[in-house]
Amino acid sequence: MSASAEDIVPPPGRWPADPQDDLPISEDRIWVDGCFDFSHHGGGRIFFLFGLFLKAESCVLGHAGAMLQARKLGRELYVGVHSDEAILENKGPTVMRLEERVAAVEACRWVTRCVPSAPYVTFLPWVSHYGCKYVVHGDDITSDSNGEDCYRYVKAAGRFRVVKRTPGISTTDLVGRMLLCTKGHFVRSVKGMINGKEGSGSEQERTQSAENLLQRIRDYATDETGLQPGPCVWVWNGSSSAKLGNTTEEPGSFEQIVGGKLPRPGQRIVYVDGGFDLFSSGHIEFLRQVLDSEKLEGHRRHWYDYEAREKRIKDHGEDYEPAFVVAGIHDDDVINYWKGLNYPIMNIFERGLCVLQCRYIHAAVFSAPFSPSQPYLEAMPLGVPDAVYHGPTTFIPLTYDPYIAPKKMGIFKETPSHAYQHVNAGEIVDRILKSRDAYEARQRAKVEKGVIEGLAKSKEESIA
């Protein structure tokens, strides 16, 4: 039996995250909550109301689109993350542990604050404690382990709003790719997809899909408000051999597809690259460590001295951090060449959107080469990087050092090992395969719940 509200609502001073005292209800503060298991970009919901409390199922980036739309409606976005125990009781086993899911939520550029251990059933005291008036959910029904509507309390209080869901990749889709080892999701040509030359359907349908894809990239390439320009986005045009390995070195050409914020005066240009498949806590911690390393470098450069801060504010109207991070993202066939099987689990656009939503990067390059050669680095549109970072590789069986060029150039830096070092696409797939029966049971239960929830939705519609 699910816990009662008295069991769920913390006593004064014992809330899982600040603030510990009730906040005044503000229409500029928005809440999203959910499971936020392993990351992907699709399946978001679009939210139309202002100053709302939102509940979302599934994954962090499965609802990054929802968080983006929600963030546009206010000045703050609070995100509650359900505990492992609550999800197990109501939905089934998680892939990522609570601390991993929290790290992923905190890395989203549109999130103001993350609140761990938010209850699976939405209780009014939680809504009010964090200063939100309304609860918003998609036009589907979400039920708890007893088959009851998770929003029954807020609906009864008149504090629930319904919005339409937007289509996209789901957790079920990704798990299916893992278990069935499919490759149908691979993108053969980034330029082909963007130009409407690749994909299924008629020429008109491909053109429309390309326009939708570009709009999604533009949406994700926004700043923390979700309203203003954020990361710059380029596509690198180079030969297949230059992308795959170190046998061909060429500058290629960079084509900008989204204009964004450029580096500020004095910022160091930092380059990182990778597949970023299933954008996990391992990737997130690596990117966070890169910024931490650059902050230390900033201290050595006296970046944070009082006089330096005041000068930046006087000259540029605001202060800013010492590094501008550019993330290179490898093509699907490049990753498959090195990892084999059906990797990557997510195609380059899905992975790219994962990277773009991360607050630790400032620009992205699609179709980046696996080995950043000196001609490539010297041709980068923002100038030759001041540093090229990489973490210890644990998943790809390399036959050579991809970073010979930046090492010879004296700009290579390696981040240290960390608690999430082992968490990569292979680790996530292993977790699922080792618990395959449990995840399949979860999916069967989800289907069964879907039937019940569909009946409940039909009943609500008939009453309305």
Side-chain angles (χ1 to χ4, degrees):
M1 181 178 293
S2 299
S4 65
E6 290 73 19
D7 297 324
I8 291 294
V9 178
R14 298 290 298 277
W15 288 81
D18 287 336
Q20 294 301 321
D21 298 322
D22 289 345
L23 287 178
I25 292 178
S26 169
E27 295 195 351
D28 282 336
R29 187 176 302 115
I30 300 165
W31 178 290
V32 175
D33 71 358
C35 303
F36 305 108
D37 211 348
F38 67 94
S39 303
H40 61 74
H41 78 86
R45 298 176 173 86
I46 297 178
F47 301 90
F48 301 100
L49 298 180
F50 197 74
L52 307 172
F53 176 104
L54 301 144
K55 184 178 180 69
E57 290 184 329
S58 193
C59 310
V60 176
L61 295 176
H63 295 85
M67 290 193 282
L68 169 58
Q69 296 301 321
R71 181 62 180 83
K72 291 178 180 180
L73 303 178
R75 297 181 181 177
E76 295 178 285
L77 176 61
Y78 281 40
V79 179
V81 182
H82 305 321
S83 69
D84 297 341
E85 295 77 14
I87 299 171
L88 179 63
E89 176 186 355
N90 291 282
K91 193 173 183 180
T94 61
V95 179
M96 312 300 286
R97 291 180 286 275
L98 176 62
E99 62 269 20
E100 295 173 301
R101 294 184 284 113
V102 166
V105 169
E106 290 178 337
C108 180
R109 73 172 67 253
W110 306 301
V111 174
T112 305
R113 176 166 293 174
C114 178
V115 180
S117 300
Y120 199 83
V121 174
T122 305
F123 292 106
L124 285 171
W126 278 79
V127 179
S128 299
H129 176 79
Y130 288 102
C132 304
K133 183 175 181 180
Y134 295 108
V135 176
V136 174
H137 187 60
D139 56 358
D140 56 323
I141 299 292
T142 300
S143 60
D144 62 16
S145 58
N146 297 321
E148 297 184 90
D149 190 341
C150 290
Y151 300 98
R152 55 190 181 275
Y153 300 116
V154 292
K155 285 181 177 179
R159 296 172 67 171
F160 184 77
R161 299 291 185 270
V162 177
V163 293
K164 293 289 184 181
R165 296 184 62 184
T166 58
I169 185 175
S170 69
T171 307
T172 305
D173 293 333
L174 289 180
V175 173
R177 293 179 188 178
M178 297 176 197
L179 299 180
L180 300 176
C181 289
T182 57
K183 294 184 180 181
H185 58 285
F186 283 10
V187 172
R188 294 189 298 275
S189 167
V190 168
K191 289 290 297 295
M193 288 290 289
I194 291 176
N195 294 332
K197 304 299 183 183
E198 181 182 335
S200 59
S202 65
E203 181 179 352
Q204 182 178 0
E205 290 171 332
R206 291 195 302 271
T207 299
Q208 185 61 55
S209 295
E211 291 175 359
N212 293 340
L213 175 59
L214 276 172
Q215 186 57 52
R216 182 69 68 91
I217 294 173
R218 294 188 193 103
D219 289 342
Y220 276 60
T222 52
D223 68 358
E224 64 276 5
T225 70
L227 300 171
Q228 301 298 323
C232 307
V233 184
W234 289 274
V235 175
W236 186 65
N237 301 309
S239 66
S240 296
S241 58
K243 292 179 180 180
L244 282 175
N246 66 341
T247 57
T248 303
E249 295 187 355
E250 58 189 35
S253 63
F254 291 82
E255 179 180 341
Q256 189 172 66
I257 59 174
V258 178
K261 290 184 177 179
L262 296 174
R264 310 299 298 274
Q267 282 187 315
R268 278 163 53 90
I269 307 300
V270 173
Y271 182 71
V272 300
D273 63 358
F276 302 107
D277 197 12
L278 297 178
F279 198 71
S280 68
S281 51
H283 302 122
I284 292 166
E285 181 60 17
F286 161 67
L287 294 173
R288 192 191 67 78
Q289 284 191 349
V290 168
L291 284 184
D292 281 351
S293 295
E294 285 298 309
K295 287 178 181 178
L296 291 176
E297 177 65 26
H299 282 291
R300 288 190 286 271
R301 293 194 291 140
H302 303 286
W303 182 270
Y304 297 103
D305 289 359
Y306 176 79
E307 295 80 5
R309 288 177 184 265
E310 290 299 303
K311 188 176 189 308
R312 287 193 295 274
I313 294 173
K314 178 182 178 181
D315 293 346
H316 309 292
E318 62 179 353
D319 195 13
Y320 47 88
E321 290 300 320
F324 185 96
V325 180
V326 181
I329 308 161
H330 306 319
D331 279 334
D332 296 344
D333 60 346
V334 172
I335 297 175
N336 189 253
Y337 175 84
W338 287 103
K339 294 187 178 180
L341 299 177
N342 65 322
Y343 291 105
I345 304 301
M346 302 167 69
N347 70 43
I348 187 169
F349 291 113
E350 294 161 354
R351 292 180 284 113
L353 292 176
C354 287
V355 171
L356 285 174
Q357 64 81 45
C358 182
R359 67 172 73 246
Y360 305 138
I361 69 100
H362 306 93
V365 178
F366 284 74
S367 300
F370 186 76
S371 183
S373 67
Q374 185 166 342
Y376 168 80
L377 294 171
E378 291 177 343
M380 293 192 71
L382 300 178
V384 181
D386 296 285
V388 173
Y389 280 85
H390 191 64
T393 299
T394 58
F395 187 35
I396 301 178
L398 295 178
T399 57
Y400 75 99
D401 184 354
Y403 297 97
I404 292 176
K407 287 178 180 178
K408 287 183 177 179
M409 296 167 69
I411 59 174
F412 180 79
K413 293 180 179 292
E414 186 172 86
T415 57
S417 297
H418 51 77
Y420 302 125
Q421 182 67 44
H422 64 290
V423 185
N424 50 39
E427 164 71 14
I428 295 171
V429 172
D430 284 345
R431 290 184 187 183
I432 290 177
L433 293 179
K434 288 177 181 177
S435 303
R436 180 167 182 167
D437 291 343
Y439 288 110
E440 288 180 342
R442 165 180 165 170
Q443 294 308 116
R444 287 194 297 271
K446 186 175 180 179
V447 171
E448 293 171 359
K449 283 180 64 177
V451 174
I452 298 173
E453 291 164 356
L455 293 174
K457 179 183 176 182
S458 298
K459 183 177 179 181
E460 281 192 355
E461 291 174 346
S462 64
I463 294 175

